Amino acid sequence: MLEDIQQRLFTQAKTFLTEHTIGATDRETFFELCRNRAGMIEIAWCGLASCETVVKENTSATTRNLREPARAPRCVVCGEPARYQAYFAQAY
């Protein structure tokens, strides 16, 4: 019974995360999504603190999770070489 409960909770959490995560491949779309959409916005990111500052100043969003390697060669925000696949969101 415990395994069944754990599997159902995992499935619910995974579905919620998938439904509330959207990818962006260009800066304008990324900033728009950060400002107006609840959830996580996924982008290729350089990892530079100065780049995150630009995002925070323009959208109030910050990084929530990082994965290596990036899925695209360039950072969506600044165009520098991407190191991570980053997930940005606003604090609520």
Side-chain angles (χ1 to χ4, degrees):
M1 182 179 195
L2 181 58
E3 286 182 29
D4 183 48
I5 292 169
Q6 288 177 328
Q7 184 60 46
R8 280 188 275 144
L9 288 172
F10 175 78
T11 301
Q12 287 174 342
K14 189 173 181 178
T15 299
F16 182 86
L17 180 63
T18 301
E19 290 174 353
H20 291 86
T21 303
I22 187 166
T25 57
D26 66 86
R27 181 183 168 118
E28 189 171 320
T29 301
F30 170 62
F31 280 10
E32 183 67 27
L33 289 169
C34 284
R35 286 186 203 108
N36 298 312
R37 186 178 188 279
M40 305 277 264
I41 314 303
E42 178 185 9
I43 64 166
W45 187 51
C46 62
L48 297 173
S50 58
C51 189
E52 184 171 22
T53 299
V54 169
V55 173
K56 189 173 183 178
E57 288 173 352
N58 284 280
T59 68
S60 300
T62 56
T63 54
R64 299 291 183 236
N65 190 17
L66 302 175
R67 293 185 180 189
E68 287 186 280
R71 294 186 192 140
R74 297 280 172 198
C75 175
V76 168
V77 179
C78 68
E80 292 294 320
R83 181 173 174 192
Y84 303 102
Q85 200 62 22
Y87 299 81
F88 281 79
Q90 292 187 4
Y92 297 98

